[in-house]
Amino acid sequence: MQINTSLIQAQRDALTPILKPDIRIPWKILCYDSYCEKRLSTIYRVGDLREMCITLHFNLDQNRERLHGVTALYFIQPIQASIEKLVEDFNRDLYSEVFINFSSPVENTLLEYMAKELSKISGAVQKIQKVYEHNLDFVALNHNFFNLENQVVTGLFSIIMALKVQPLILFQKNSKIEQIAKELIEKLKQFEFNSDYPLLAIILPDRDIDLNTLIMHSNTYGALLHDTLNIKYNKVKLEDQVYDLSPQYDNLWLQACNMALPDAIDKIDNELNDWNTQYQQVSQQNQEISSALNAIDLVPQMNQQKKMVDSHINLAKQLTQIAKQKSLDKFYQLGQSILQNETVTVNDYPQSEDNQVEQSKEIDKLRLLILMLLNNYNQQEFKKFEQVFQIKNEKYLNILTNFKQRVASNQNNKQQSVYKSLFAAITSKIPNSGKGLLKNFQNYLLQRKKSSIVQMLENLFLNELKIDELQSILTMYDSRVKNISRLEFGLLSTIKGILVCFTEGACYNEYAELSDFAKSINKVIIYGGNKIYNAEEFLVQFQ
């Protein structure tokens, strides 16, 4: 059996029984809390809900009028606050029939609380048609990209259930992740997996093996957008406009997200040219009835396509303006040189005479300095950069101080050195080349140094000589035998896919790298974490 290659489709399949229960009613409304709203917002649009006869949808925090004769579908997280709001709705006698859906199994104490409170309300229990418990504790941002929103154990379990797979859990011994892995394993032991389900290797690495990828500047369209405009649950706000980047509706985002910026902009430009060509062809069609009818049929599709292209033109225009102003391509080039231990000097930094422009770069300067610290770069050069950068933001200075202390305390950490020796690899830089619309951004076409997680996967699945070394630091739980199993070479031919989850932060930068690696080994790789950070969001935790 092949693995389901789409988290979006898997979650749609799981959500459909909630939104379209097997009942014959002309129309219904949907009520959700903020937690479940995020799961819905990346999967459905309003038009999709209408097709399922959902005419109104509300957050529980919204003021709502009484609608007698109406069936209400509730989709909420099983927590005290959401259950209290549910009880309040019954108190107000808002709806005639109610279906209650919890995003994950409910604790007995909460069920007892709900039953006790509803029993005090006349007619409340009779209104409840069904109560369901689901496993939907993850947000599908793309077909192979997820956000667990800090619900790591229940989130990973939900993904396993949604994809219908048999999991192999691999995690590092004596690491911060070990306790989380053990909790997940205990949960899995209570479940009998179908032996026909495909095998999925779930890798739970310690974030400490690679902080570089979360901090470094990127060259891909998606990562740069997240860095500069901050993507939140597939939505980007630019001035007063909100752009929806959900891949099931935006094929251009699906294709361009992980492309290098110049390639992505060329892709956007090509899409615009294709649309213009199609528009001219439709406009020039003769006036025969059949041709006219075909042209009319194409209008909605072409309007949607033009809206999609215009969205990316606006986003790319804003992104390139910010990138040019802040010299982000140069920061990317400097970062790659540091990672590959090449010589960089303060003369390589394009300092602006405009103080306001220099101030806008403070977060970028901080990222470069931290990259130097993490990679034990030449201390003299570090001090020169620190002096030239002159960071004034007190928050950023505190972060830099904390990283200096962190690096100093880790220098003698033997376990850290073991990880680095296992995942170390040398990659070379390809020559600069200009392309298309962004000749000033040719640095974005430099080859990236492989991240630690890509090197780890290469050693695990492609390098037979590394298996014994990895065996000493990795534990593998096999759900087929409900026990710890020995790590052996040849695992890649056995599994149907790989899931990588960082429990202390994931990012678009790493997502792009793993997507490229997936193509090279011809396997599905699903990626995500407890949170999806851009560099600034990640760094502010260290202030």
Side-chain angles (χ1 to χ4, degrees), residues 27 40 45 64 70 100 105 136 214 228 246 263 266 279 283 312 329 360 366 374 379 383 444 446 456 466 480 507:
W27 62 288
L40 295 166
R45 284 181 172 173
R64 286 161 286 140
V70 172
I100 302 172
L136 288 164
L214 277 164
T228 55
S246 298
D263 295 335
D266 276 356
Y279 177 78
S283 300
H312 285 283
D329 63 325
S360 73
L366 174 67
L374 291 175
Q379 281 296 305
K383 289 176 181 177
Y444 283 132
L446 296 177
M456 179 183 183
K466 290 289 185 181
R480 294 170 297 180
C507 62

Side-chain angles (χ1 to χ4, degrees), residues 163-177:
L163 293 178
K164 297 184 170 127
V165 294
Q166 297 181 86
L168 292 175
I169 312 295
L170 291 96
F171 59 95
Q172 293 170 14
K173 298 174 183 176
N174 304 316
S175 68
K176 290 180 286 186
I177 197 68

Side-chain angles (χ1 to χ4, degrees), residues 220-267:
T220 65
Y221 180 46
L224 282 162
L225 265 184
H226 192 41
D227 252 359
T228 55
L229 300 177
N230 204 353
I231 305 169
K232 289 292 184 186
Y233 302 102
N234 289 346
K235 306 293 190 296
V236 176
K237 188 173 183 180
L238 181 58
E239 296 174 348
D240 295 327
Q241 180 76 32
V242 176
Y243 296 95
D244 185 353
L245 300 178
S246 298
Q248 66 272 36
Y249 304 110
D250 188 338
N251 191 54
L252 187 48
W253 173 248
L254 180 65
Q255 296 178 60
C257 175
N258 292 325
M259 287 182 175
L261 182 59
D263 295 335
I265 291 185
D266 276 356
K267 177 69 178 174

Side-chain angles (χ1 to χ4, degrees), residues 129-141:
Q129 303 302 304
K130 294 277 187 179
V131 177
Y132 298 100
E133 295 176 316
H134 303 275
N135 289 291
L136 288 164
D137 276 332
F138 68 96
V139 178
L141 300 174

Side-chain angles (χ1 to χ4, degrees), residues 98-296:
V98 172
F99 289 76
I100 302 172
N101 294 272
F102 291 107
S103 61
S104 58
V106 195
E107 293 179 3
N108 287 335
T109 52
L110 284 174
L111 273 178
E112 290 167 3
Y113 166 79
M114 184 176 77
K116 179 182 176 182
E117 293 302 310
L118 291 178
S119 66
K120 299 175 184 176
I121 303 169
S122 176
V125 175
Q126 289 73 25
K127 291 181 181 180
I128 299 174
Q129 303 302 304
K130 294 277 187 179
V131 177
Y132 298 100
E133 295 176 316
H134 303 275
N135 289 291
L136 288 164
D137 276 332
F138 68 96
V139 178
L141 300 174
N142 208 319
H143 297 292
N144 57 348
F145 190 28
F146 62 87
N147 182 353
L148 299 182
E149 294 191 300
N150 293 322
Q151 304 291 322
V152 177
V153 174
T154 58
L156 285 172
F157 185 80
S158 294
I159 290 176
I160 292 166
M161 294 296 105
L163 293 178
K164 297 184 170 127
V165 294
Q166 297 181 86
L168 292 175
I169 312 295
L170 291 96
F171 59 95
Q172 293 170 14
K173 298 174 183 176
N174 304 316
S175 68
K176 290 180 286 186
I177 197 68
E178 189 169 19
Q179 184 56 40
I180 292 173
K182 287 179 177 178
E183 289 178 22
L184 176 60
I185 288 168
E186 286 304 309
K187 196 171 181 69
L188 293 172
K189 283 181 178 178
Q190 301 169 24
F191 189 82
E192 293 294 332
F193 290 94
N194 188 325
S195 60
D196 292 331
Y197 284 176
L199 203 58
L200 178 71
I202 298 179
I203 317 292
L204 303 176
D206 193 317
R207 184 72 268 177
D208 281 350
I209 69 167
D210 182 15
L211 296 181
N212 289 332
T213 307
L214 277 164
I215 295 166
M216 61 187 282
H217 289 79
S218 181
N219 67 335
T220 65
Y221 180 46
L224 282 162
L225 265 184
H226 192 41
D227 252 359
T228 55
L229 300 177
N230 204 353
I231 305 169
K232 289 292 184 186
Y233 302 102
N234 289 346
K235 306 293 190 296
V236 176
K237 188 173 183 180
L238 181 58
E239 296 174 348
D240 295 327
Q241 180 76 32
V242 176
Y243 296 95
D244 185 353
L245 300 178
S246 298
Q248 66 272 36
Y249 304 110
D250 188 338
N251 191 54
L252 187 48
W253 173 248
L254 180 65
Q255 296 178 60
C257 175
N258 292 325
M259 287 182 175
L261 182 59
D263 295 335
I265 291 185
D266 276 356
K267 177 69 178 174
I268 295 167
D269 190 51
N270 290 337
E271 287 287 329
L272 179 60
N273 291 336
D274 290 345
W275 187 91
N276 285 331
T277 300
Q278 187 179 14
Y279 177 78
Q280 290 171 5
Q281 289 173 348
V282 170
S283 300
Q284 292 169 3
Q285 282 182 348
N286 59 44
Q287 298 303 309
E288 293 180 7
I289 293 177
S290 60
S291 297
L293 289 174
N294 287 335
I296 291 171

Side-chain angles (χ1 to χ4, degrees), residues 338-381:
I338 290 166
L339 291 176
Q340 298 180 52
N341 203 28
E342 296 174 351
T343 302
V344 297
T345 69
V346 289
N347 295 328
D348 296 321
Y349 171 68
Q351 190 163 11
S352 171
E353 294 180 1
D354 188 329
N355 290 333
Q356 193 171 359
V357 170
E358 279 301 301
Q359 190 174 356
S360 73
K361 298 179 185 178
E362 287 213 332
I363 182 62
D364 304 292
K365 296 173 182 178
L366 174 67
R367 291 164 68 179
L368 196 68
L369 289 173
I370 291 175
L371 213 56
M372 286 179 155
L373 286 172
L374 291 175
N375 292 276
N376 297 317
Y377 203 75
N378 183 288
Q379 281 296 305
Q380 289 182 336
E381 285 302 324

Side-chain angles (χ1 to χ4, degrees), residues 408-526:
S409 66
N410 282 341
Q411 281 180 342
N412 296 320
N413 188 324
K414 293 182 180 179
Q415 187 67 47
Q416 191 82 354
S417 65
V418 169
Y419 293 153
K420 288 189 176 181
S421 68
L422 284 171
F423 306 141
I426 298 173
T427 56
S428 58
K429 188 171 66 174
I430 62 173
N432 289 5
S433 58
K435 186 173 176 69
L437 300 173
L438 279 184
K439 291 180 181 177
N440 292 332
F441 289 82
Q442 60 185 12
N443 292 329
Y444 283 132
L445 295 172
L446 296 177
Q447 181 174 315
R448 295 172 296 199
K449 184 180 186 296
K450 289 180 185 176
S451 65
S452 293
I453 185 59
V454 169
Q455 295 169 45
M456 179 183 183
L457 294 180
E458 285 181 337
N459 288 336
L460 183 59
F461 296 115
L462 304 177
N463 190 344
E464 187 171 3
L465 299 176
K466 290 289 185 181
I467 287 297
D468 288 340
E469 290 181 79
L470 288 170
Q471 182 74 48
S472 67
I473 66 165
L474 290 180
T475 298
M476 184 176 78
Y477 170 80
D478 189 340
S479 63
R480 294 170 297 180
V481 295
K482 293 191 175 184
N483 211 338
I484 302 300
S485 295
R486 180 172 176 78
L487 199 60
E488 294 180 357
F489 187 68
L491 188 60
L492 189 65
S493 62
T494 306
I495 61 172
K496 297 298 183 182
I498 302 165
L499 183 148
V500 177
C501 176
F502 279 97
T503 64
E504 293 183 304
C507 62
Y508 277 84
N509 200 0
E510 211 159 40
Y511 172 49
E513 291 202 46
L514 285 169
S515 295
D516 287 344
F517 180 66
K519 295 172 187 174
S520 71
I521 61 172
N522 196 29
K523 290 285 182 183
V524 174
I525 295 185
I526 299 166

